[in-house]
Amino acid sequence: MLLIRNGRVITPIRVIDRGAVLIEDGIIRSVGPEDDITTPAGAEVIDAGGAYVSPGFIETHLHGGGGGDIMGATTEDIIRCAQAHARGGVTAMLPTTLAAPMEAIVRALEAIESVQGMEYEGAAIVGAHLEGPYFNLAQAGAQNPEFIKNPNLEEIVPILDRFPFIRRVSAAPELPGALELGQELRRRGIVASIAHSDATYDDVIKAVENGYTHATHVFSGMSGLRRINAYRISGVIESVLVIDELTTEMIADGHHLPPSLMRLVIKAKGLNQVCVTTDAMAAAGLDPGSYELYGLKVVVEDDVAPEFEVKRRPGNYVAKLADRSAFASSVATMDQAVRTMTELVGLSVVDAVKMATLIPARIHGMAHERGMLVPGFAGDVTVFDDGIQVQKTIVGGKVVYSRS
Ligand SMILES: [Zn+2]
């Protein structure tokens, strides 16, 4: 049994001062003011020292961390990544693949599968996210164009059968076969997410009518407003902002989107329809330098030219393609995403945390067991200070990271 006491406990609606959380057998047993919770004999007690006690962060889009690369496809890659992100407060994650030959994607899924049931000090693997390869070449971004192709149900269905833990598939809905893919995913309870897409408003309407419910990294890898002669045609960006049936995610590394665009997304969608992610790569949590993202050269630095709305913040690193023409994933962890929302966007800690916990849980069908501190839910807790520096990460009632 584990009792976390003397904390500012974050519920989705408020902060309970001098609050406590009791976890037994990996499951939350009680949450509330600490005076209302009796310490069971023999319980391990953590004094949070007045820090925030939050539901564990849920990361639903990440390609690596701590040198571990999901496409590296070894058990060690997956665990390294789970450890690196636990240091950033993540307790549950969906390792995410990239556009690659299908055999490589299958190898990554086998590695993700191999970790299930293993004991390690890191975030829990609660599924997988296939980002690609069914994308529009016109919106490849940092996905390797060599491996981008049209949806193929005969190819993907056996993979969905073999790896039932796949929770989300990101694809471009305007491609031939993409609507059938949306229907298939929806039938299986897998989140179909619009990504790396050049769709028009009409295409997006059809996507929603055929099972797509989410949009991957809004503003990145998606079409915007076009004009044909006198007439304006909404792209994916405007469609995501205006269609209530779609949820979305923002890459909140402090570089991808300037504060004005993040405010625009929240204004249009409302807080309950938007989650934050890092979309991190293997270099997350490592030093600046040169890295590789599935065959593409990437540079990690903290340089920002002074004319941009996003300002240089020493130590807030960014990953770009080597020619600096585009961002390439990120090197953030979720503590940075929460910090971005409080420091750059001006949200309260309660709202910023919600975008990293309850909202991603809801979007990905996990809100009955994660995303809030509720008796009966997974004993996943992140303890952090006023600067959103993570002090402790607790997964299933076990401390997996402790700041020294
Ligand atoms: Zn992407």
Side-chain angles (χ1 to χ4, degrees):
M1 257 181 300
L2 178 69
L3 180 81
I4 307 151
R5 57 167 293 272
N6 189 24
R8 281 177 281 168
V9 172
I10 298 179
T11 82
I13 319 167
R14 63 174 175 140
V15 172
I16 302 171
D17 284 322
R18 286 183 54 80
V21 177
L22 177 66
I23 302 172
E24 187 183 359
D25 297 329
I27 303 293
I28 295 174
R29 287 290 163 227
S30 331
V31 181
E34 68 173 58
D35 293 343
D36 296 356
I37 297 172
T38 39
T39 310
E44 180 191 343
V45 177
I46 291 175
D47 184 338
Y52 286 107
V53 174
S54 160
F57 301 153
I58 299 175
E59 171 63 285
T60 54
H61 186 168
L62 81 174
H63 302 284
D69 186 340
I70 303 303
M71 295 307 289
T74 66
T75 305
E76 198 196 339
D77 276 298
I78 311 297
I79 289 178
R80 267 193 192 192
C81 174
Q83 288 170 331
H85 286 274
R87 288 194 283 276
V90 173
T91 57
M93 62 183 233
L94 299 183
T96 305
T97 58
L98 290 165
M102 224 18 120
E103 311 82 72
I105 293 173
V106 165
R107 278 197 298 276
L109 289 166
E110 285 169 349
I112 294 164
E113 190 174 42
S114 74
V115 174
Q116 292 183 354
M118 276 180 72
E119 285 277 323
Y120 58 90
E121 312 264 296
I125 311 295
V126 293
H129 170 188
L130 302 191
E131 193 188 13
Y134 306 140
F135 290 146
N136 194 318
L137 268 177
Q139 296 287 346
Q143 297 277 346
N144 196 328
E146 203 183 318
F147 306 117
I148 286 178
K149 57 180 172 178
N150 287 339
N152 179 343
L153 277 185
E154 277 167 36
E155 174 184 63
I156 193 73
V157 163
I159 292 170
L160 301 177
D161 283 339
R162 182 169 161 205
F163 303 103
F165 53 84
I166 294 171
R167 222 175 242 283
R168 168 169 163 195
V169 174
S170 290
E174 71 276 20
L175 301 175
L179 299 182
E180 291 75 10
L181 174 65
Q183 296 163 13
E184 180 67 31
L185 295 171
R186 187 57 184 253
R187 265 200 299 277
R188 291 168 178 259
I190 297 169
V191 176
S193 188
I194 301 172
H196 295 275
S197 161
D198 209 36
T200 62
Y201 179 69
D202 278 350
D203 295 326
V204 177
I205 293 286
K206 289 197 191 87
V208 172
E209 288 168 350
N210 285 277
Y212 288 79
T213 57
H214 190 50
T216 299
H217 48 48
V218 64
F219 282 105
S220 300
M222 54 174 66
S223 50
L225 188 67
R226 271 170 279 201
R227 194 169 155 166
I228 297 182
N229 298 325
Y231 289 89
R232 285 169 185 84
I233 298 181
S234 288
V236 178
I237 293 170
E238 295 78 20
S239 306
V240 168
L241 294 180
V242 80
I243 298 173
D244 287 339
E245 283 65 29
L246 287 171
T247 53
T248 193
E249 73 181 8
M250 297 195 289
I251 301 176
D253 66 338
H255 290 277
H256 273 73
L257 300 178
S260 57
L261 285 187
M262 291 190 281
R263 289 193 193 106
L264 173 63
V265 174
I266 292 170
K267 215 168 199 178
K269 302 301 294 173
L271 268 179
N272 284 319
Q273 298 281 88
V274 188
C275 66
V276 290
T277 183
T278 62
D279 189 4
M281 61 175 283
L286 302 183
D287 292 330
S290 295
Y291 295 92
E292 226 179 74
L293 185 65
Y294 211 71
L296 300 177
K297 296 257 176 279
V298 170
V299 59
V300 173
E301 59 191 15
D302 63 3
D303 256 12
V304 182
E307 66 266 30
F308 295 121
E309 184 187 335
V310 165
K311 298 300 174 206
R312 175 171 184 265
R313 296 190 298 165
N316 182 195
Y317 297 113
V318 57
K320 297 175 193 151
L321 294 182
D323 65 2
R324 293 177 175 78
S325 62
F327 295 126
S329 177
S330 92
V331 287
T333 48
M334 280 295 252
D335 55 325
Q336 177 61 56
V338 173
R339 240 178 349 258
T340 297
M341 300 321 288
T342 56
E343 291 177 6
L344 297 190
V345 181
L347 295 189
S348 69
V349 172
V350 170
D351 284 343
V353 162
K354 193 169 155 179
M355 295 177 82
T357 55
L358 177 59
I359 308 305
R362 244 188 225 155
I363 291 170
H364 296 85
M366 299 185 270
H368 59 294
E369 54 186 357
R370 292 172 203 283
M372 284 171 68
L373 299 173
V374 176
F377 276 31
D380 293 356
V381 175
T382 300
V383 180
F384 59 82
D385 65 17
D386 284 326
I388 329 278
Q389 300 294 337
V390 174
Q391 295 179 347
K392 275 193 169 41
T393 306
I394 296 156
V395 176
K398 188 174 116 186
V399 178
V400 300
Y401 169 70
S402 221
R403 195 183 172 88
S404 46

